[in-house]
Amino acid sequence: MINFVLCDDNIMVLSKLKEMLNSIFLKYDFDATVKLATNSTKELIKFVTSNRIDVLFMDIDLNTKENGIEIAKLIRKSNKSLYLIFVTAHFEYIISSFECKTFDFIQKPFTYARLERTIF
């Protein structure tokens, strides 16, 4: 089982992302699950430090003190093997996002086909 975690400050985007990923998992009979979908960076950090996760979809502009890149760097310290995928409307962060050993960078608004290409 591959464990996914999603973090975005926008509840609608978070819900859409979770729904699309679950649809992709079902379509390909992919043994994966979204373990957590949250708009709270505190909840995210607490969860990833105490649970095994394999893939993290992360927004960059989280409307918090720290941005998604800073949070990802913190998470990276305890989990060096997770696949980190940024999903953001802020394309200007693409270069700095790769400091976190980013697997992919998806620009919002994302599509089902774009998520599918990332997963497979």
Side-chain angles (χ1 to χ4, degrees), residues 93-109:
Y93 288 110
I94 192 167
I95 301 299
S96 57
S97 75
F98 284 96
E99 294 173 9
C100 305
K101 297 182 176 48
T102 306
F103 177 75
D104 203 354
F105 189 99
I106 301 172
Q107 189 170 12
K108 291 178 184 175

Side-chain angles (χ1 to χ4, degrees), residues 6 8 10-18 87 108 110:
L6 320 175
D8 195 301
N10 184 318
I11 299 294
M12 297 299 289
V13 170
L14 199 58
S15 177
K16 179 180 176 184
L17 179 58
K18 182 178 180 180
V87 181
K108 291 178 184 175
F110 53 86

